[in-house]
Amino acid sequence: MQLYNTLSAKEREALIEEAGKDRLTISFYRYAHIGNPQIFRNYIFLAWDALEVLGRIYVAHEGINAQLSVPAENFEAFKAHLDSISFLENVRLNIAIEQDNKSFLKLKIKVRDKIVADGLNDDTFDVTDKGIHVGAEQFNELVEDPDTLLVDMRNHYESEIGHFKNAITPDVDTFRDSLDIIEKQLSGFKEDKKLVMYCTGGIRCEKASAYYKHKGFKQVYQLEGGIIDYTRQVKAKGLENKFMGKNFVFDQRRSERISDDIISNCHQCGEPCDTHVNCANEACHLLFIQCESCAAKMDYCCSEACKEIHALPEEVQKELRKGKTVSNKIFKKGRSEVLVYKKNPEQAVGTDFTSH
Ligand SMILES: [Zn+2]
Ligand SMILES: [Zn+2]
C-alpha cells in the first residue's frame, strides 16, 4: 500500500485519475478545541454523508480522529469541505487507493470522551500545545545528537518486533503507563535533553508531547506522521533507514516489514521470529509471537491446555465459553505465564535510561 500526504493539486488530480471509479482511503487526526462535539458531529455527518463518505470517525472535545473512504470523484469536494473548517485546513492526509473498496460499509461518526484512550483525567494541559514536528531527515539527525533521548511511545508488544535504533522502549501495556514511566525516569533531564518521541502514525506522541511540555520538558520533538510516514519518506528521498524490524499495525495485516532485521523471538521456542498470532482457542485469543514450527506443533495455540480445547468439537467449545469473557484479549498481550520466552520486564530494551 502506498501512502501519500500533503498532495499538490497536480498530484491529487493524478491520484483521482488513477483511482477511476474507486474509492480513496483516507486517515487523519487533529487535536483542536471543539466546544460542542455533538453539534460538530452532526455538521460533518450531513456534509460527508452527501459526499458518500464511509468510515469510522471519532469526535471529542480534544479533536477528531478519522479513518474513512470517499469516491475518488468526490475527493476535491471533500477536501474543500475540510479546508472550510478552520482547524482542519490543510490537515495532513494519509491517502491510499483501496482496491477492494470494502474497508468501510457505513459512515459512523461517534462522540467520545477522547480521540485517544489515554486514561488521563488531567484537563489542565492543552493538547494543542504540541512539540516540534520533525520529518524523517531531521529525525535522523536528531537521533544522532548525544543530547537526545529517543522514546518509543507505543506498547511493549509493538516495540518488541520493531523499533528505532537506540530507542527507549518502555515495557508497558497502555499509553497511560508509558506517560508516567517516562516522566519519572527522565525527570532529571527536563532542562537540558531533547526528548524525541515516535509512535505508529503520530497521534499518540502528539498528545504525549503536549503532556511533557506541560510537565516541564523544555525541548520536545515528535516524528510527524509516525513510523508509517517515516518509512514513506525514507523510500521517497533515499534516506538512511534507522528503523529495525516490523511496524505493528492495527488491521488484518498486523505488521509491515520495514527492515530485514528480526529483533524478537518465538515466545515458545526462543528462535528468532517476529510473527504475531492470536491463540487459535477462541476462548483465549492471546496475542503472542509464534514461529512456523511451533505453530505446527501447537496447532496455532499458546499452550497445551488451549490446544486440547481447540481440538474439541465447536459445539463443546461454545458450551465451555458460555458466560466467560476473553481476558487475554486485552490484558495479556504476549505476557501470559504459559509463554516460556515472552519478553521479561528485566530484559526490556532500553530500561537503562541514562546510557544513551
Ligand atoms: Zn517457535
Ligand atoms: Zn491460548
Side-chain angles (χ1 to χ4, degrees):
M1 180 171 71
Q2 200 182 353
L3 296 164
Y4 303 78
N5 68 62
T6 51
L7 301 167
S8 68
K10 213 174 183 176
E11 286 166 318
R12 284 210 305 256
E13 209 176 287
L15 187 66
I16 293 165
E17 177 96 348
E18 192 193 332
K21 284 277 168 198
D22 278 334
R23 302 180 74 91
L24 300 176
T25 301
I26 299 171
S27 66
F28 68 89
Y29 71 87
R30 176 59 64 90
Y31 287 101
H33 300 292
I34 300 177
N36 190 325
Q38 189 62 47
I39 290 177
F40 178 68
R41 180 254 167 229
N42 294 345
Y43 172 71
I44 58 174
F45 185 90
L46 288 175
W48 295 1
D49 190 44
L51 295 171
E52 295 167 68
V53 171
L54 302 173
R56 197 173 53 235
I57 295 107
Y58 297 119
V59 174
H61 281 294
E62 67 175 17
I64 178 169
N65 185 14
Q67 263 93 40
L68 55 85
S69 77
V70 59
E73 59 197 15
N74 290 347
F75 178 75
E76 287 296 344
F78 176 70
K79 178 79 176 88
H81 186 253
L82 289 181
D83 287 342
S84 73
I85 300 166
S86 60
F87 63 87
L88 293 179
E89 193 178 356
N90 292 321
V91 64
R92 199 175 59 81
L93 302 177
N94 281 325
I95 311 176
I97 299 170
E98 190 64 59
Q99 300 301 342
D100 74 9
N101 285 344
K102 290 197 180 95
S103 46
F104 302 103
L105 302 171
K106 283 181 185 170
L107 176 60
K108 283 189 193 167
I109 309 184
K110 290 187 178 165
V111 174
R112 286 239 172 133
D113 282 349
K114 303 280 180 84
I115 57 168
V116 171
D118 56 16
L120 289 172
N121 295 316
D122 191 345
D123 287 334
T124 60
F125 81 100
D126 180 358
V127 287
T128 65
D129 183 23
K130 59 196 178 197
I132 302 163
H133 281 206
V134 295
E137 212 162 347
Q138 204 188 339
F139 179 84
N140 278 355
E141 281 168 26
L142 265 177
V143 298
E144 294 300 329
D145 186 334
D147 281 333
T148 289
L149 293 166
L150 178 61
V151 181
D152 190 318
M153 291 310 297
R154 301 170 303 153
N155 298 329
H156 74 94
Y157 55 89
E158 299 170 82
S159 56
E160 186 174 4
I161 58 167
H163 55 77
F164 280 103
K165 284 171 204 159
N166 299 325
I168 295 165
T169 57
D171 190 49
V172 293
D173 291 306
T174 68
F175 182 57
R176 169 80 252 218
D177 289 349
S178 193
L179 287 174
D180 284 346
I181 286 177
I182 294 294
E183 207 231 324
K184 229 197 236 153
Q185 300 276 359
L186 303 185
S187 59
F189 304 106
K190 286 182 179 178
E191 296 291 330
D192 46 0
K193 291 279 186 186
K194 292 175 178 135
L195 182 57
V196 181
M197 290 174 286
Y198 69 90
C199 60
T200 313
I203 189 167
R204 282 181 276 184
C205 50
E206 184 149 334
K207 176 168 278 187
S209 71
Y211 182 73
Y212 291 129
K213 280 176 81 175
H214 165 67
K215 290 288 181 183
F217 285 89
K218 296 287 182 288
Q219 303 178 75
V220 181
Y221 299 82
Q222 75 161 105
L223 177 58
E224 181 170 18
I227 300 158
I228 292 173
D229 206 55
Y230 174 88
T231 308
R232 188 194 63 81
Q233 289 180 45
V234 160
K235 280 184 194 150
K237 297 175 188 169
L239 306 173
E240 184 198 346
N241 170 40
K242 291 179 184 285
F243 189 91
M244 304 180 296
K246 281 177 165 179
N247 181 25
F248 189 99
V249 294
F250 296 87
D251 60 40
Q252 298 302 334
R253 297 167 299 151
R254 288 215 180 92
S255 63
E256 287 180 317
R257 179 160 297 290
I258 312 286
S259 86
D260 291 334
D261 310 275
I262 295 175
I263 65 165
S264 52
N265 304 85
C266 171
H267 286 163
Q268 290 176 323
C269 72
E271 286 298 305
C273 176
D274 55 11
T275 306
H276 272 114
V277 298
N278 284 104
C279 176
N281 173 16
E282 281 298 317
C284 173
H285 213 71
L286 178 74
L287 180 77
F288 70 108
I289 299 173
Q290 187 178 48
C291 74
E292 279 176 27
S293 77
C294 286
K297 212 168 9 185
M298 297 298 293
D299 203 11
Y300 298 91
C301 289
C302 76
S303 61
E304 287 297 338
C306 282
K307 192 178 162 186
E308 277 171 31
I309 295 170
H310 184 53
L312 297 170
E314 183 57 33
E315 279 73 59
V316 183
Q317 289 189 47
K318 267 189 191 151
E319 204 54 42
L320 284 172
R321 286 204 292 273
K322 261 187 190 159
K324 288 181 188 158
T325 50
V326 185
S327 59
N328 281 341
K329 219 170 186 169
I330 305 157
F331 297 109
K332 287 192 187 158
K333 283 170 179 159
R335 287 223 207 256
S336 169
E337 292 305 315
V338 300
L339 302 171
V340 183
Y341 292 91
K342 67 176 187 285
K343 194 171 99 177
N344 229 298
E346 294 87 64
Q347 298 165 349
V349 195
T351 35
D352 180 4
F353 288 92
T354 52
S355 69
H356 180 55

